[in-house]
Amino acid sequence: MNFAPGVHKWALPPLVGAVLFTFVFPPLAALLLAFGLFALWNFRDPERHPPTVGIVAPADGKVSVVREEGDQFRVGVYMNALDVHVIRAPKKGYVDGVSHSPGANKPAFSKESENNERVDVDFGLFEVSLIAGWFARRIVPYVHDGDSVAKGDRLGHIAFGSRADVLLPPSIDRDHLLVEEGDSVRAGETVIAEVPDDDDV
């Protein structure tokens, strides 16, 4: 099993503490053990196998937003604390910019979460946003300006409950969308939109 960077910071201290307190104060040891195992689960990073056709989900979880913004559609995926929190590229592209914006700390499942701390990865014709939740507020992007990514490549990690949005290319219209709010998706594997014949994926 692979793990996202930073797992040692969250998992190792409570696991070590659990060992130290096992015979001193067992209830605390059990609590520390539970949190350490939860951190390991939250930072897991399983391999994914993207399909050859279509735009894929950027994150594991449930689709929480599908809406039109100007001439583009936004699809947002809410990740609860048990979902995989590694964010993946919905299609291939070149990174035009990576920007960090501080913000509020609202729960990631709420509409107000769009004002939370976030990292936006701009690919020119489309954009992926990593939005922190209320608990850890920890976003670690893996890509930088000028990077080339393939569909399904890892873009970053968000800890402990969060949201990932993709602002789809202008060539994608309502008829191309394959998901609606409430659907469950898997990062890098679930196709969320068909691609027009003239759109290079």
Side-chain angles (χ1 to χ4, degrees):
M1 172 70 74
N2 296 321
F3 294 96
V7 63
H8 63 281
K9 173 184 175 182
W10 292 93
L12 189 58
L15 291 176
V16 171
V19 173
L20 296 176
F21 282 97
T22 296
F23 300 106
V24 178
F25 190 40
L28 178 58
L31 184 63
L32 291 171
L33 177 62
F35 184 80
L37 294 176
F38 171 69
L40 286 175
W41 183 254
N42 189 268
F43 277 76
R44 71 196 188 281
D45 183 9
E47 293 296 330
R48 295 293 165 85
H49 305 284
T52 57
V53 178
I55 296 175
V56 296
D60 284 24
K62 287 190 179 296
V63 176
S64 58
V65 174
V66 177
R67 69 165 180 260
E68 192 169 3
E69 295 184 3
D71 61 349
Q72 294 176 269
F73 278 90
R74 177 178 298 275
V75 176
V77 178
Y78 165 67
M79 294 164 278
N80 67 37
L82 299 180
D83 288 318
V84 174
H85 279 59
V86 174
I87 311 305
R88 293 178 178 267
K91 66 191 298 288
K92 74 176 183 181
Y94 290 93
V95 178
D96 284 348
V98 179
S99 60
H100 171 262
S101 302
N105 60 339
K106 302 295 184 181
F109 57 80
S110 69
K111 293 182 178 179
E112 292 79 10
S113 65
E114 293 184 8
N115 298 316
N116 283 4
E117 180 178 357
R118 63 194 291 149
V119 169
D120 296 308
V121 183
D122 181 14
F123 290 92
L125 292 178
F126 68 100
E127 181 180 81
V128 178
S129 298
L130 291 69
I131 304 173
W134 68 271
F135 178 55
R137 303 180 67 184
R138 179 183 182 275
I139 306 174
V140 180
Y142 299 166
V143 294
H144 305 87
D145 292 8
D147 284 353
S148 174
V149 301
K151 183 195 304 184
D153 280 357
R154 297 167 176 86
L155 298 181
H157 179 265
I158 320 173
F160 303 113
S162 47
R163 174 177 151 185
D165 288 9
V166 54
L167 189 61
L168 296 166
S171 59
I172 303 299
D173 60 31
R174 175 70 69 176
D175 292 337
H176 296 121
L177 296 179
L178 299 178
V179 293
E180 57 187 23
E181 293 182 11
D183 287 351
S184 295
V185 294
R186 282 169 59 90
E189 292 187 343
T190 303
V191 177
I192 62 173
E194 296 176 327
V195 179
D197 292 338
D198 60 350
D199 193 352
D200 179 19
V201 297

